[in-house]
Amino acid sequence: MLAIMVGFSLIAAPAARALNFNFSVTTFNVGGSPDGVAFNPQTGLVYVANYDDNTVSVINGSTNAVLTTFVVGNGPSAIAINPSSHRAFVTDKDNNSVAVINTLTNQVMQNITVGGYPVAVAINPNNGMVYVVNNFDNSVSVINGSTNKVIANITTVGISPVAVAVNNDTGKIYVANSQDNTVSMIDGTTNTVIANISVGNSPSAVSFNHLTGEVYVANGGDNNLVVITGTTAGRHILVGGNPVAVVTNPSTGVTYVADANDNNVSVIDPTSYRVAVNLTMGTTDSVYPDAFALNPVTGLVYVTNNFEDSVSVISPVTTTSSSSSSSSSSSSSTSSSSSSSSSGIPEFPTQLGLAAVVTGLIVVTYVFARNATLRRR
């Protein structure tokens, strides 16, 4: 018995940390029809592309104050930031171009011509490559982020591509094709499509989970989120009406889905693959949340509300209560309002604890076997 206790004490598992599904929501006004948003982790600033105004608003991520607004091209709709090069890339879909912004001066450096109706953009921070989805051309333009030159045009994706995400670990790119119900997987080294994965009706958004390697696809026509593992679409998670955007917290694996027709955001528990809470966005009955940005350090999530000309900020709320009843939340105009109880489901660090327990069982098994051998001798 003493040997058993010693065996376990040598490999004590770390304490599990519970996922937090308590949130507050704050909403503030920006420009007309905000359609894209990005967070700069180096400066803490948030950039919002305002489609109707042909502008970009720069937000203080700590105070939610609009610091400045500047003009870009016609119809800015998506934005991605490379903090190491101090550049932001904004798709001006009515111009068929991408505006390159110096984030130190907030001035447009250059306009790059791409394909027809560029609606989405993503960056691989490891090599600085920029991937632009051209909806009308069924193509992806690849821009060298150092030279601001288009170095490749990938024309073998699906029909009507609308979203893009990059796996920084492997360099693979995932493109959601809304009219043929697929996701194209692209090899970032060769810029060739290596797989077309059937997902569901009208895929409209895609994100990557760095903890599991899974890819999440929002299907606007099915009101669900599909989980891709490798090249296989597996789990289907029911969410709200017309999901059009998705983002995953790289530290926790918690995923946020913008349900445009319901004016809310579904928050997905990565351990149960179910909706943990629904959060109401904006302050009116007509909001249409349609884009995300996430601060990976604080966990703040920024949501553009296209119909309301506003941005909602989802903030994790730390609670000391050990138990509380779950509830859906609603937003207020400028202050916190929404909450849901913590699920109490262990977060990913418990995988280490499980490994420790398994190791402990192995140690115990060895101790018993060793003692039995000695007794036979």
Side-chain angles (χ1 to χ4, degrees), residues 99-124:
V100 184
I101 299 166
N102 183 329
T103 57
L104 298 178
T105 63
N106 292 324
Q107 293 181 337
V108 177
M109 301 169 53
Q110 185 177 343
N111 289 293
I112 306 170
T113 299
V114 289
Y117 211 64
V119 295
V121 59
I123 295 174
N124 185 336

Side-chain angles (χ1 to χ4, degrees), residues 29-294:
N29 294 327
V30 288
S33 297
D35 208 22
V37 59
F39 175 75
N40 187 336
Q42 192 172 79
T43 62
L45 300 180
V46 181
Y47 289 72
V48 179
N50 305 305
Y51 178 79
D52 282 353
D53 295 348
N54 299 328
T55 63
V56 170
S57 297
V58 183
I59 314 297
N60 183 318
S62 299
T63 65
N64 296 334
V66 178
L67 301 178
T68 186
T69 299
F70 56 90
V71 176
V72 287
N74 292 332
S77 63
I79 185 167
I81 294 175
N82 187 338
S84 61
S85 66
H86 310 295
R87 294 180 184 180
F89 297 83
V90 181
T91 60
D92 297 323
K93 60 186 179 184
D94 294 342
N95 266 4
N96 298 336
S97 65
V98 171
V100 184
I101 299 166
N102 183 329
T103 57
L104 298 178
T105 63
N106 292 324
Q107 293 181 337
V108 177
M109 301 169 53
Q110 185 177 343
N111 289 293
I112 306 170
T113 299
V114 289
Y117 211 64
V119 295
V121 59
I123 295 174
N124 185 336
N126 295 331
N127 57 21
M129 293 299 168
V130 182
Y131 301 91
V132 180
V133 169
N134 305 306
N135 182 261
F136 286 177
D137 291 352
N138 302 328
S139 68
V140 174
S141 298
V142 183
I143 299 172
N144 184 317
S146 298
T147 64
N148 295 334
K149 302 288 186 182
V150 176
I151 61 170
N153 193 38
I154 305 169
T155 59
T156 52
V157 295
I159 301 172
S160 190
V162 292
V164 59
V166 176
N167 180 339
N168 302 338
D169 302 326
T170 65
K172 290 185 173 61
I173 301 96
Y174 298 85
V175 177
N177 307 303
S178 63
Q179 288 190 17
D180 66 2
N181 304 328
T182 64
V183 167
S184 297
M185 181 190 296
I186 298 171
D187 185 326
T189 302
T190 61
N191 290 324
T192 57
V193 175
I194 55 177
N196 285 299
I197 306 165
S198 296
V199 286
N201 291 319
S202 300
S204 55
V206 59
S207 74
F208 176 71
N209 187 331
H210 290 272
L211 298 176
T212 64
E214 295 170 330
V215 177
Y216 302 134
V217 182
N219 290 317
D222 292 333
N223 298 334
N224 67 19
L225 190 74
V226 171
V227 182
I228 296 176
T229 304
T231 57
T232 303
R235 297 174 185 265
H236 291 66
I237 305 168
L238 186 64
V239 292
N242 190 23
V244 297
V246 58
V247 69
T248 302
N249 188 315
S251 299
T252 65
V254 172
T255 297
Y256 301 80
V257 182
D259 307 317
N261 289 357
D262 292 345
N263 299 331
N264 71 21
V265 168
S266 297
V267 185
I268 310 297
D269 184 335
T271 58
S272 67
Y273 292 91
R274 294 182 180 180
V275 175
V277 64
N278 290 306
L279 307 173
T280 301
M281 297 295 105
T283 60
T284 65
D285 293 333
S286 182
V287 176
Y288 204 88
D290 69 343
F292 285 121
L294 185 142

